[in-house]
Amino acid sequence: MGKSFFAKSRVVGPVFGACLTVTFAFALLACQKKEVSPTAATEILIGEYGSMSGATATFGQSSHMGSMLAIDSINARGGVLGKKLRIISEDDQGKPEEAITVITKLINKDRVSAILGEFASSNSLAGGPVCQKAGIPMLTPGSTNPKVTEIGNFIFRACFIDPFQGTVMAKFTANSLKLNQVAILRDIKSDYSVGLADYFIKSFTAMGGQIVADESYSAGDKDFSAQLTSLKSKNPEAIFVPGYYTEVGLLVRQARKLGITVPLLGGDGWDSEKLWEIGGEALNGCFFSNHYSVDDPSPVIQGFVAKFKARYDGKVPDAIAALGFDAAMILADAIQRAGNTNPDSIRMALAATQSFPGVTGVISLDIDRNAIKSAVVLEIRDGKNVFKGSIDP
Amino acid sequence: LSVLLQQIINGVSLGSIYALVALGYTMVYGVLRLINFAHGDIYMLGAYVGYFMARFMRGHVINPVLDTLIVMVTSMLVCALIGFLIERLAYRPVRHASRLTMLIVAIGVSLLIENLSQIVFGADPKFFPQLIPEKAWHFWNVTLNNQQAVVFGVAVALMLLLHFFVYRTRTGKAMRAVAFNLDAARLMGINPGAIIAMTFALGSALAAAGGILVSINIPGIDPLMGVMTGLKAFVAAVLGGIGNIFGAVLGGLILGLAEVMVAGYGSSTYRDAIAFLILIAILLFKPEGILGRGQVEKV
């Protein structure tokens, strides 16, 4: 997700203290490990940076759970190139400036061969240039902002980019819902939302659909009645609202109050437990696109879900964990194909990734180092996200 | 036409909230010549007190009307107390200092409340429990729901009550006297300290009511919700003529309607820009506001 988490000032005092302690603990751990690891000959070191603490802690933690599961299963099969993989994980507390510090440490002190992370686009945009300059390949599991891979030829991603989701929802609306009159309500302040809306319109009109209205709101707005009233008068068959869950929850409630009964459609910005808490029953029958669905019957996904639950006390993996898992698997596969741990060989192997069978779809990297793969569409029904199908690029 | 009618309903329900909050600004300005920047934050605290109260009562629902009333009255009382304390602890010590000092103190209080609330309540938005079951009436393709009606009704009732209080009671008379001339009022045996404290308490209670009413209609609350609403209400107060009670109400309604029309027929991007454009235009052409009296600044 491309959301900026720094829009609001955050609580600093106690959290900062806790972060400091954690960082210290990590630093100590890293030092200790360093002493017992002149085993570089038998191990391949992979760096990982993410928000293990701070405001976006669930992103880093989920993604780390996924990548650790991947690394362990690879090592159980005998590792890569006859060596075991080892992840050195660093906490950037969800802060871009901290991301730069920990990456510099991973590259210069730990001498890692490649780097996994970050999840949030804003942190990847900070860490990416450091990797690019040092010539160490970086693979982000979930930064969907197009700018991330534009940093340079050492930066890759295991997820699709923002515009793709717009195309996905357009295809779904036209082909599965069989609707052809759609209204747009976009968050004008967010690049993510504007990107999704633009690509939705482009694909939808190309398929013969009609956009009956294109209205906007600004992140932080609470009252959407004016825009919704104006949309209602155009009688759309569905409304595409590619925003984040806080606004969408309020918006869908107000839409229902005004007597708008058509489905609302959205992207992965809707993926939060909070959405149902805010929107409630008004959300029934709405659809959004996401990276993967736990309910997908495909054996690859069900196998992953079972393994994940077994390892983490029955915890259900979210899309972030699935992407973390895939990123680590893709990297291991690239190292295997590279035949050595030279960063430049790994870079070339990563770029050549084709039809990799991942949990979040069959993944190929295109010439811009972005993953080309399918997305899933989910329907909200009584607080559950029900799998409706997957859409290929 | 039905769209226009619907937009007017939307605008009036938004405007009545601005009006309620604007009343607090106007009253405090009237007696103290102070713009109480912490007013928007009291509005936020009102919503939070209501949130905790409503959650606390969720187990034992009596009936929706009574519940709403209990939540609202509790929140108004708590906020009146907070307003009283703010005046006592922050404004009273600097009352005789320069106006700039008071203004800075007001901004300081506002920032303190906002940041403290983020620590205490958490920075993520909370969902306000539904107090009144939703019901909507449709006529001529226009939808009016009971929550909007309640918001408007309660807002009007509170404004009438305030009007009665200020113009028909002894305390209200004393309040107007203090606003007119503090020192002369003191000579007439009025205790200005008590009147000022009461003005703050009353204004804060109205802001709290505004916070609850907004949350009934739009159930997402967060610690920074008061910033924008506070600013807009301030614009409304200036628009109507700051220091004038009817002016605040009129200003609130005009602003609410203007915003909705801009968002509904133009682009919502300009929605906030319009609010502040109105402020600038008024300051340029009629600085005393629509219903304000022009007065010579006392030096």
Side-chain angles (χ1 to χ4, degrees), chain A residues 225 228-229 231-233 235-236 239 251-262 264, chain B residues 6 10 134-138 141-145 148:
Chain A
S225 51
L228 289 168
T229 300
L231 288 185
K232 192 192 172 198
S233 67
N235 294 315
I239 305 175
L251 195 149
V252 68
R253 256 175 190 275
Q254 292 175 28
R256 299 297 179 241
K257 267 192 212 170
L258 286 165
I260 297 175
T261 52
V262 299
L264 271 67
Chain B
Q6 182 77 61
N10 297 338
E134 236 167 84
K135 215 162 58 189
W137 299 289
H138 302 268
N141 211 7
V142 170
T143 312
L144 177 67
N145 71 58
Q148 277 175 321

PDB file of all heavy atoms in Angstrom, chain A residues 225 228-229 231-233 235-236 239 251-262 264, chain B residues 6 10 134-138 141-145 148:
ATOM      1  N   SER A 225     -21.801  14.058   1.680  1.00  0.00           N
ATOM      2  CA  SER A 225     -23.188  14.055   1.214  1.00  0.00           C
ATOM      3  C   SER A 225     -23.364  14.862  -0.076  1.00  0.00           C
ATOM      4  O   SER A 225     -24.134  14.468  -0.942  1.00  0.00           O
ATOM      5  CB  SER A 225     -24.112  14.577   2.307  1.00  0.00           C
ATOM      6  OG  SER A 225     -23.638  15.800   2.810  1.00  0.00           O
ATOM      7  N   LEU A 228     -22.086  12.785  -3.021  1.00  0.00           N
ATOM      8  CA  LEU A 228     -22.924  11.608  -3.218  1.00  0.00           C
ATOM      9  C   LEU A 228     -24.284  11.995  -3.804  1.00  0.00           C
ATOM     10  O   LEU A 228     -24.826  11.291  -4.656  1.00  0.00           O
ATOM     11  CB  LEU A 228     -23.100  10.861  -1.889  1.00  0.00           C
ATOM     12  CG  LEU A 228     -21.831  10.139  -1.415  1.00  0.00           C
ATOM     13  CD1 LEU A 228     -21.989   9.672   0.024  1.00  0.00           C
ATOM     14  CD2 LEU A 228     -21.530   8.943  -2.312  1.00  0.00           C
ATOM     15  N   THR A 229     -24.827  13.118  -3.348  1.00  0.00           N
ATOM     16  CA  THR A 229     -26.115  13.582  -3.887  1.00  0.00           C
ATOM     17  C   THR A 229     -25.991  13.848  -5.379  1.00  0.00           C
ATOM     18  O   THR A 229     -26.856  13.461  -6.171  1.00  0.00           O
ATOM     19  CB  THR A 229     -26.542  14.875  -3.172  1.00  0.00           C
ATOM     20  OG1 THR A 229     -26.670  14.601  -1.785  1.00  0.00           O
ATOM     21  CG2 THR A 229     -27.860  15.377  -3.708  1.00  0.00           C
ATOM     22  N   LEU A 231     -23.781  12.510  -7.386  1.00  0.00           N
ATOM     23  CA  LEU A 231     -23.588  11.234  -8.088  1.00  0.00           C
ATOM     24  C   LEU A 231     -24.921  10.510  -8.261  1.00  0.00           C
ATOM     25  O   LEU A 231     -25.203   9.930  -9.304  1.00  0.00           O
ATOM     26  CB  LEU A 231     -22.635  10.318  -7.318  1.00  0.00           C
ATOM     27  CG  LEU A 231     -21.162  10.666  -7.287  1.00  0.00           C
ATOM     28  CD1 LEU A 231     -20.385   9.573  -6.591  1.00  0.00           C
ATOM     29  CD2 LEU A 231     -20.633  10.854  -8.698  1.00  0.00           C
ATOM     30  N   LYS A 232     -25.726  10.565  -7.209  1.00  0.00           N
ATOM     31  CA  LYS A 232     -26.985   9.827  -7.227  1.00  0.00           C
ATOM     32  C   LYS A 232     -27.878  10.281  -8.377  1.00  0.00           C
ATOM     33  O   LYS A 232     -28.548   9.478  -9.023  1.00  0.00           O
ATOM     34  CB  LYS A 232     -27.702  10.036  -5.893  1.00  0.00           C
ATOM     35  CG  LYS A 232     -28.874   9.100  -5.701  1.00  0.00           C
ATOM     36  CD  LYS A 232     -29.726   9.510  -4.518  1.00  0.00           C
ATOM     37  CE  LYS A 232     -30.993   8.675  -4.475  1.00  0.00           C
ATOM     38  NZ  LYS A 232     -32.012   9.309  -3.646  1.00  0.00           N
ATOM     39  N   SER A 233     -27.836  11.595  -8.650  1.00  0.00           N
ATOM     40  CA  SER A 233     -28.708  12.137  -9.694  1.00  0.00           C
ATOM     41  C   SER A 233     -28.319  11.631 -11.085  1.00  0.00           C
ATOM     42  O   SER A 233     -29.096  11.730 -12.019  1.00  0.00           O
ATOM     43  CB  SER A 233     -28.654  13.661  -9.654  1.00  0.00           C
ATOM     44  OG  SER A 233     -27.370  14.099 -10.035  1.00  0.00           O
ATOM     45  N   ASN A 235     -27.601   8.462 -11.648  1.00  0.00           N
ATOM     46  CA  ASN A 235     -28.020   7.053 -11.670  1.00  0.00           C
ATOM     47  C   ASN A 235     -26.948   6.065 -12.112  1.00  0.00           C
ATOM     48  O   ASN A 235     -27.148   5.317 -13.063  1.00  0.00           O
ATOM     49  CB  ASN A 235     -29.244   6.876 -12.573  1.00  0.00           C
ATOM     50  CG  ASN A 235     -30.443   7.599 -12.008  1.00  0.00           C
ATOM     51  OD1 ASN A 235     -30.705   7.502 -10.805  1.00  0.00           O
ATOM     52  ND2 ASN A 235     -31.138   8.349 -12.846  1.00  0.00           N
ATOM     53  N   PRO A 236     -25.790   6.033 -11.451  1.00  0.00           N
ATOM     54  CA  PRO A 236     -24.771   5.051 -11.829  1.00  0.00           C
ATOM     55  C   PRO A 236     -25.179   3.644 -11.372  1.00  0.00           C
ATOM     56  O   PRO A 236     -25.996   3.502 -10.457  1.00  0.00           O
ATOM     57  CB  PRO A 236     -23.530   5.516 -11.070  1.00  0.00           C
ATOM     58  CG  PRO A 236     -24.069   6.232  -9.879  1.00  0.00           C
ATOM     59  CD  PRO A 236     -25.379   6.835 -10.295  1.00  0.00           C
ATOM     60  N   ILE A 239     -20.303   2.545  -8.049  1.00  0.00           N
ATOM     61  CA  ILE A 239     -19.431   3.696  -7.807  1.00  0.00           C
ATOM     62  C   ILE A 239     -18.043   3.170  -7.434  1.00  0.00           C
ATOM     63  O   ILE A 239     -17.906   2.336  -6.543  1.00  0.00           O
ATOM     64  CB  ILE A 239     -19.992   4.587  -6.673  1.00  0.00           C
ATOM     65  CG1 ILE A 239     -21.431   5.008  -6.993  1.00  0.00           C
ATOM     66  CG2 ILE A 239     -19.114   5.816  -6.483  1.00  0.00           C
ATOM     67  CD1 ILE A 239     -22.090   5.790  -5.878  1.00  0.00           C
ATOM     68  N   LEU A 251     -18.015   7.053   4.084  1.00  0.00           N
ATOM     69  CA  LEU A 251     -18.642   7.385   2.810  1.00  0.00           C
ATOM     70  C   LEU A 251     -19.752   6.393   2.455  1.00  0.00           C
ATOM     71  O   LEU A 251     -20.848   6.786   2.037  1.00  0.00           O
ATOM     72  CB  LEU A 251     -17.538   7.375   1.754  1.00  0.00           C
ATOM     73  CG  LEU A 251     -17.771   7.993   0.401  1.00  0.00           C
ATOM     74  CD1 LEU A 251     -16.448   8.529  -0.116  1.00  0.00           C
ATOM     75  CD2 LEU A 251     -18.302   6.993  -0.578  1.00  0.00           C
ATOM     76  N   VAL A 252     -19.487   5.114   2.671  1.00  0.00           N
ATOM     77  CA  VAL A 252     -20.465   4.106   2.272  1.00  0.00           C
ATOM     78  C   VAL A 252     -21.717   4.217   3.138  1.00  0.00           C
ATOM     79  O   VAL A 252     -22.843   4.065   2.675  1.00  0.00           O
ATOM     80  CB  VAL A 252     -19.840   2.691   2.297  1.00  0.00           C
ATOM     81  CG1 VAL A 252     -19.537   2.250   3.693  1.00  0.00           C
ATOM     82  CG2 VAL A 252     -20.733   1.687   1.609  1.00  0.00           C
ATOM     83  N   ARG A 253     -21.519   4.555   4.413  1.00  0.00           N
ATOM     84  CA  ARG A 253     -22.660   4.786   5.300  1.00  0.00           C
ATOM     85  C   ARG A 253     -23.538   5.922   4.790  1.00  0.00           C
ATOM     86  O   ARG A 253     -24.760   5.813   4.743  1.00  0.00           O
ATOM     87  CB  ARG A 253     -22.147   5.213   6.675  1.00  0.00           C
ATOM     88  CG  ARG A 253     -22.210   4.145   7.685  1.00  0.00           C
ATOM     89  CD  ARG A 253     -21.574   4.604   8.969  1.00  0.00           C
ATOM     90  NE  ARG A 253     -21.455   3.455   9.836  1.00  0.00           N
ATOM     91  CZ  ARG A 253     -22.442   3.042  10.611  1.00  0.00           C
ATOM     92  NH1 ARG A 253     -23.569   3.700  10.677  1.00  0.00           N
ATOM     93  NH2 ARG A 253     -22.289   1.961  11.344  1.00  0.00           N
ATOM     94  N   GLN A 254     -22.872   7.033   4.431  1.00  0.00           N
ATOM     95  CA  GLN A 254     -23.643   8.194   3.967  1.00  0.00           C
ATOM     96  C   GLN A 254     -24.337   7.906   2.645  1.00  0.00           C
ATOM     97  O   GLN A 254     -25.442   8.385   2.397  1.00  0.00           O
ATOM     98  CB  GLN A 254     -22.722   9.405   3.840  1.00  0.00           C
ATOM     99  CG  GLN A 254     -22.237   9.878   5.196  1.00  0.00           C
ATOM    100  CD  GLN A 254     -21.222  11.003   5.109  1.00  0.00           C
ATOM    101  OE1 GLN A 254     -21.217  11.781   4.177  1.00  0.00           O
ATOM    102  NE2 GLN A 254     -20.354  11.073   6.098  1.00  0.00           N
ATOM    103  N   ALA A 255     -23.685   7.096   1.805  1.00  0.00           N
ATOM    104  CA  ALA A 255     -24.295   6.744   0.523  1.00  0.00           C
ATOM    105  C   ALA A 255     -25.602   5.999   0.758  1.00  0.00           C
ATOM    106  O   ALA A 255     -26.638   6.295   0.156  1.00  0.00           O
ATOM    107  CB  ALA A 255     -23.334   5.893  -0.295  1.00  0.00           C
ATOM    108  N   ARG A 256     -25.561   5.039   1.676  1.00  0.00           N
ATOM    109  CA  ARG A 256     -26.766   4.252   1.954  1.00  0.00           C
ATOM    110  C   ARG A 256     -27.857   5.133   2.553  1.00  0.00           C
ATOM    111  O   ARG A 256     -29.044   4.958   2.275  1.00  0.00           O
ATOM    112  CB  ARG A 256     -26.440   3.098   2.903  1.00  0.00           C
ATOM    113  CG  ARG A 256     -25.425   2.100   2.361  1.00  0.00           C
ATOM    114  CD  ARG A 256     -25.917   1.372   1.124  1.00  0.00           C
ATOM    115  NE  ARG A 256     -24.927   0.434   0.616  1.00  0.00           N
ATOM    116  CZ  ARG A 256     -24.381   0.519  -0.593  1.00  0.00           C
ATOM    117  NH1 ARG A 256     -24.721   1.484  -1.420  1.00  0.00           N
ATOM    118  NH2 ARG A 256     -23.486  -0.378  -0.988  1.00  0.00           N
ATOM    119  N   LYS A 257     -27.461   6.097   3.400  1.00  0.00           N
ATOM    120  CA  LYS A 257     -28.429   7.001   4.005  1.00  0.00           C
ATOM    121  C   LYS A 257     -29.149   7.821   2.954  1.00  0.00           C
ATOM    122  O   LYS A 257     -30.312   8.161   3.101  1.00  0.00           O
ATOM    123  CB  LYS A 257     -27.719   7.967   4.956  1.00  0.00           C
ATOM    124  CG  LYS A 257     -27.679   7.501   6.379  1.00  0.00           C
ATOM    125  CD  LYS A 257     -27.216   8.657   7.246  1.00  0.00           C
ATOM    126  CE  LYS A 257     -26.421   8.169   8.432  1.00  0.00           C
ATOM    127  NZ  LYS A 257     -25.773   9.267   9.132  1.00  0.00           N
ATOM    128  N   LEU A 258     -28.403   8.188   1.904  1.00  0.00           N
ATOM    129  CA  LEU A 258     -29.001   9.008   0.849  1.00  0.00           C
ATOM    130  C   LEU A 258     -29.802   8.157  -0.122  1.00  0.00           C
ATOM    131  O   LEU A 258     -30.292   8.650  -1.123  1.00  0.00           O
ATOM    132  CB  LEU A 258     -27.913   9.764   0.093  1.00  0.00           C
ATOM    133  CG  LEU A 258     -27.299  10.950   0.847  1.00  0.00           C
ATOM    134  CD1 LEU A 258     -26.013  11.398   0.192  1.00  0.00           C
ATOM    135  CD2 LEU A 258     -28.290  12.104   0.902  1.00  0.00           C
ATOM    136  N   GLY A 259     -29.888   6.861   0.155  1.00  0.00           N
ATOM    137  CA  GLY A 259     -30.684   5.994  -0.698  1.00  0.00           C
ATOM    138  C   GLY A 259     -29.935   5.458  -1.902  1.00  0.00           C
ATOM    139  O   GLY A 259     -30.550   5.021  -2.868  1.00  0.00           O
ATOM    140  N   ILE A 260     -28.594   5.491  -1.874  1.00  0.00           N
ATOM    141  CA  ILE A 260     -27.812   4.900  -2.955  1.00  0.00           C
ATOM    142  C   ILE A 260     -27.618   3.420  -2.623  1.00  0.00           C
ATOM    143  O   ILE A 260     -27.034   3.077  -1.590  1.00  0.00           O
ATOM    144  CB  ILE A 260     -26.439   5.588  -3.087  1.00  0.00           C
ATOM    145  CG1 ILE A 260     -26.633   7.054  -3.461  1.00  0.00           C
ATOM    146  CG2 ILE A 260     -25.561   4.872  -4.107  1.00  0.00           C
ATOM    147  CD1 ILE A 260     -25.359   7.861  -3.494  1.00  0.00           C
ATOM    148  N   THR A 261     -28.132   2.542  -3.476  1.00  0.00           N
ATOM    149  CA  THR A 261     -28.083   1.122  -3.140  1.00  0.00           C
ATOM    150  C   THR A 261     -27.106   0.343  -4.013  1.00  0.00           C
ATOM    151  O   THR A 261     -26.892  -0.837  -3.789  1.00  0.00           O
ATOM    152  CB  THR A 261     -29.486   0.489  -3.303  1.00  0.00           C
ATOM    153  OG1 THR A 261     -29.966   0.821  -4.608  1.00  0.00           O
ATOM    154  CG2 THR A 261     -30.459   1.022  -2.269  1.00  0.00           C
ATOM    155  N   VAL A 262     -26.518   0.990  -5.005  1.00  0.00           N
ATOM    156  CA  VAL A 262     -25.633   0.263  -5.928  1.00  0.00           C
ATOM    157  C   VAL A 262     -24.324  -0.110  -5.222  1.00  0.00           C
ATOM    158  O   VAL A 262     -23.960   0.502  -4.223  1.00  0.00           O
ATOM    159  CB  VAL A 262     -25.329   1.105  -7.188  1.00  0.00           C
ATOM    160  CG1 VAL A 262     -26.604   1.423  -7.930  1.00  0.00           C
ATOM    161  CG2 VAL A 262     -24.583   2.379  -6.816  1.00  0.00           C
ATOM    162  N   LEU A 264     -20.422  -0.377  -4.162  1.00  0.00           N
ATOM    163  CA  LEU A 264     -19.239   0.467  -4.227  1.00  0.00           C
ATOM    164  C   LEU A 264     -18.034  -0.437  -4.480  1.00  0.00           C
ATOM    165  O   LEU A 264     -17.990  -1.576  -4.002  1.00  0.00           O
ATOM    166  CB  LEU A 264     -19.051   1.243  -2.918  1.00  0.00           C
ATOM    167  CG  LEU A 264     -19.760   2.601  -2.840  1.00  0.00           C
ATOM    168  CD1 LEU A 264     -21.259   2.426  -2.827  1.00  0.00           C
ATOM    169  CD2 LEU A 264     -19.328   3.374  -1.618  1.00  0.00           C
TER     170      LEU A 264
ATOM    171  N   GLN B   6     -32.065  18.430  -2.087  1.00  0.00           N
ATOM    172  CA  GLN B   6     -31.250  17.524  -1.286  1.00  0.00           C
ATOM    173  C   GLN B   6     -29.968  18.230  -0.824  1.00  0.00           C
ATOM    174  O   GLN B   6     -29.555  18.096   0.324  1.00  0.00           O
ATOM    175  CB  GLN B   6     -30.890  16.283  -2.120  1.00  0.00           C
ATOM    176  CG  GLN B   6     -30.073  15.252  -1.369  1.00  0.00           C
ATOM    177  CD  GLN B   6     -30.927  14.445  -0.407  1.00  0.00           C
ATOM    178  OE1 GLN B   6     -31.867  13.759  -0.806  1.00  0.00           O
ATOM    179  NE2 GLN B   6     -30.611  14.531   0.861  1.00  0.00           N
ATOM    180  N   ASN B  10     -28.538  18.859   2.928  1.00  0.00           N
ATOM    181  CA  ASN B  10     -27.165  18.535   3.330  1.00  0.00           C
ATOM    182  C   ASN B  10     -26.466  19.759   3.909  1.00  0.00           C
ATOM    183  O   ASN B  10     -25.776  19.686   4.925  1.00  0.00           O
ATOM    184  CB  ASN B  10     -26.346  18.047   2.128  1.00  0.00           C
ATOM    185  CG  ASN B  10     -26.882  16.768   1.519  1.00  0.00           C
ATOM    186  OD1 ASN B  10     -27.600  16.017   2.181  1.00  0.00           O
ATOM    187  ND2 ASN B  10     -26.547  16.520   0.266  1.00  0.00           N
ATOM    188  N   GLU B 134     -31.277   4.237  12.481  1.00  0.00           N
ATOM    189  CA  GLU B 134     -31.500   5.040  11.286  1.00  0.00           C
ATOM    190  C   GLU B 134     -32.896   4.853  10.719  1.00  0.00           C
ATOM    191  O   GLU B 134     -33.438   3.762  10.715  1.00  0.00           O
ATOM    192  CB  GLU B 134     -30.497   4.598  10.230  1.00  0.00           C
ATOM    193  CG  GLU B 134     -29.648   5.711   9.696  1.00  0.00           C
ATOM    194  CD  GLU B 134     -28.491   5.134   8.925  1.00  0.00           C
ATOM    195  OE1 GLU B 134     -28.681   4.835   7.748  1.00  0.00           O
ATOM    196  OE2 GLU B 134     -27.413   4.958   9.513  1.00  0.00           O
ATOM    197  N   LYS B 135     -33.445   5.941  10.228  1.00  0.00           N
ATOM    198  CA  LYS B 135     -34.727   5.864   9.546  1.00  0.00           C
ATOM    199  C   LYS B 135     -34.718   6.975   8.510  1.00  0.00           C
ATOM    200  O   LYS B 135     -34.232   8.057   8.781  1.00  0.00           O
ATOM    201  CB  LYS B 135     -35.882   6.059  10.537  1.00  0.00           C
ATOM    202  CG  LYS B 135     -37.096   5.214  10.187  1.00  0.00           C
ATOM    203  CD  LYS B 135     -38.071   5.048  11.329  1.00  0.00           C
ATOM    204  CE  LYS B 135     -38.639   6.320  11.898  1.00  0.00           C
ATOM    205  NZ  LYS B 135     -39.397   6.105  13.129  1.00  0.00           N
ATOM    206  N   ALA B 136     -35.203   6.701   7.336  1.00  0.00           N
ATOM    207  CA  ALA B 136     -35.153   7.743   6.313  1.00  0.00           C
ATOM    208  C   ALA B 136     -36.534   7.961   5.721  1.00  0.00           C
ATOM    209  O   ALA B 136     -37.330   7.037   5.608  1.00  0.00           O
ATOM    210  CB  ALA B 136     -34.167   7.357   5.225  1.00  0.00           C
ATOM    211  N   TRP B 137     -36.805   9.197   5.396  1.00  0.00           N
ATOM    212  CA  TRP B 137     -38.051   9.515   4.717  1.00  0.00           C
ATOM    213  C   TRP B 137     -37.728   9.954   3.294  1.00  0.00           C
ATOM    214  O   TRP B 137     -36.833  10.759   3.069  1.00  0.00           O
ATOM    215  CB  TRP B 137     -38.794  10.643   5.425  1.00  0.00           C
ATOM    216  CG  TRP B 137     -39.163  10.277   6.830  1.00  0.00           C
ATOM    217  CD1 TRP B 137     -40.103   9.393   7.223  1.00  0.00           C
ATOM    218  CD2 TRP B 137     -38.580  10.791   8.026  1.00  0.00           C
ATOM    219  NE1 TRP B 137     -40.146   9.309   8.597  1.00  0.00           N
ATOM    220  CE2 TRP B 137     -39.219  10.163   9.117  1.00  0.00           C
ATOM    221  CE3 TRP B 137     -37.566  11.719   8.290  1.00  0.00           C
ATOM    222  CZ2 TRP B 137     -38.893  10.430  10.446  1.00  0.00           C
ATOM    223  CZ3 TRP B 137     -37.240  11.991   9.613  1.00  0.00           C
ATOM    224  CH2 TRP B 137     -37.905  11.350  10.672  1.00  0.00           C
ATOM    225  N   HIS B 138     -38.473   9.423   2.347  1.00  0.00           N
ATOM    226  CA  HIS B 138     -38.251   9.820   0.959  1.00  0.00           C
ATOM    227  C   HIS B 138     -39.468  10.576   0.458  1.00  0.00           C
ATOM    228  O   HIS B 138     -40.585  10.141   0.651  1.00  0.00           O
ATOM    229  CB  HIS B 138     -38.049   8.587   0.066  1.00  0.00           C
ATOM    230  CG  HIS B 138     -36.913   7.740   0.513  1.00  0.00           C
ATOM    231  ND1 HIS B 138     -35.630   7.885   0.030  1.00  0.00           N
ATOM    232  CD2 HIS B 138     -36.849   6.745   1.426  1.00  0.00           C
ATOM    233  CE1 HIS B 138     -34.841   7.020   0.623  1.00  0.00           C
ATOM    234  NE2 HIS B 138     -35.549   6.317   1.469  1.00  0.00           N
ATOM    235  N   ASN B 141     -38.155  12.300  -4.393  1.00  0.00           N
ATOM    236  CA  ASN B 141     -36.801  11.888  -4.726  1.00  0.00           C
ATOM    237  C   ASN B 141     -35.752  12.523  -3.801  1.00  0.00           C
ATOM    238  O   ASN B 141     -34.581  12.590  -4.108  1.00  0.00           O
ATOM    239  CB  ASN B 141     -36.484  12.246  -6.187  1.00  0.00           C
ATOM    240  CG  ASN B 141     -35.517  11.240  -6.789  1.00  0.00           C
ATOM    241  OD1 ASN B 141     -35.214  10.225  -6.143  1.00  0.00           O
ATOM    242  ND2 ASN B 141     -35.046  11.508  -7.975  1.00  0.00           N
ATOM    243  N   VAL B 142     -36.220  13.071  -2.690  1.00  0.00           N
ATOM    244  CA  VAL B 142     -35.300  13.669  -1.736  1.00  0.00           C
ATOM    245  C   VAL B 142     -35.305  12.794  -0.492  1.00  0.00           C
ATOM    246  O   VAL B 142     -36.344  12.273  -0.103  1.00  0.00           O
ATOM    247  CB  VAL B 142     -35.762  15.095  -1.370  1.00  0.00           C
ATOM    248  CG1 VAL B 142     -34.955  15.636  -0.215  1.00  0.00           C
ATOM    249  CG2 VAL B 142     -35.667  15.996  -2.582  1.00  0.00           C
ATOM    250  N   THR B 143     -34.132  12.570   0.089  1.00  0.00           N
ATOM    251  CA  THR B 143     -34.056  11.758   1.278  1.00  0.00           C
ATOM    252  C   THR B 143     -33.747  12.620   2.490  1.00  0.00           C
ATOM    253  O   THR B 143     -32.792  13.382   2.480  1.00  0.00           O
ATOM    254  CB  THR B 143     -32.945  10.702   1.143  1.00  0.00           C
ATOM    255  OG1 THR B 143     -33.103  10.083  -0.114  1.00  0.00           O
ATOM    256  CG2 THR B 143     -33.036   9.682   2.239  1.00  0.00           C
ATOM    257  N   LEU B 144     -34.577  12.497   3.498  1.00  0.00           N
ATOM    258  CA  LEU B 144     -34.296  13.179   4.759  1.00  0.00           C
ATOM    259  C   LEU B 144     -34.217  12.073   5.796  1.00  0.00           C
ATOM    260  O   LEU B 144     -35.145  11.297   5.942  1.00  0.00           O
ATOM    261  CB  LEU B 144     -35.431  14.151   5.085  1.00  0.00           C
ATOM    262  CG  LEU B 144     -35.299  14.875   6.427  1.00  0.00           C
ATOM    263  CD1 LEU B 144     -34.120  15.821   6.399  1.00  0.00           C
ATOM    264  CD2 LEU B 144     -36.566  15.648   6.748  1.00  0.00           C
ATOM    265  N   ASN B 145     -33.091  11.944   6.503  1.00  0.00           N
ATOM    266  CA  ASN B 145     -33.105  10.893   7.513  1.00  0.00           C
ATOM    267  C   ASN B 145     -33.237  11.479   8.904  1.00  0.00           C
ATOM    268  O   ASN B 145     -32.983  12.656   9.148  1.00  0.00           O
ATOM    269  CB  ASN B 145     -31.918   9.942   7.354  1.00  0.00           C
ATOM    270  CG  ASN B 145     -30.622  10.577   7.738  1.00  0.00           C
ATOM    271  OD1 ASN B 145     -30.469  11.030   8.864  1.00  0.00           O
ATOM    272  ND2 ASN B 145     -29.685  10.627   6.813  1.00  0.00           N
ATOM    273  N   GLN B 148     -30.316  13.425  10.564  1.00  0.00           N
ATOM    274  CA  GLN B 148     -30.164  14.819  10.147  1.00  0.00           C
ATOM    275  C   GLN B 148     -31.206  15.690  10.828  1.00  0.00           C
ATOM    276  O   GLN B 148     -30.912  16.793  11.284  1.00  0.00           O
ATOM    277  CB  GLN B 148     -30.325  14.937   8.628  1.00  0.00           C
ATOM    278  CG  GLN B 148     -29.059  14.626   7.868  1.00  0.00           C
ATOM    279  CD  GLN B 148     -29.280  14.630   6.366  1.00  0.00           C
ATOM    280  OE1 GLN B 148     -30.310  14.168   5.885  1.00  0.00           O
ATOM    281  NE2 GLN B 148     -28.323  15.142   5.628  1.00  0.00           N
TER     282      GLN B 148
END
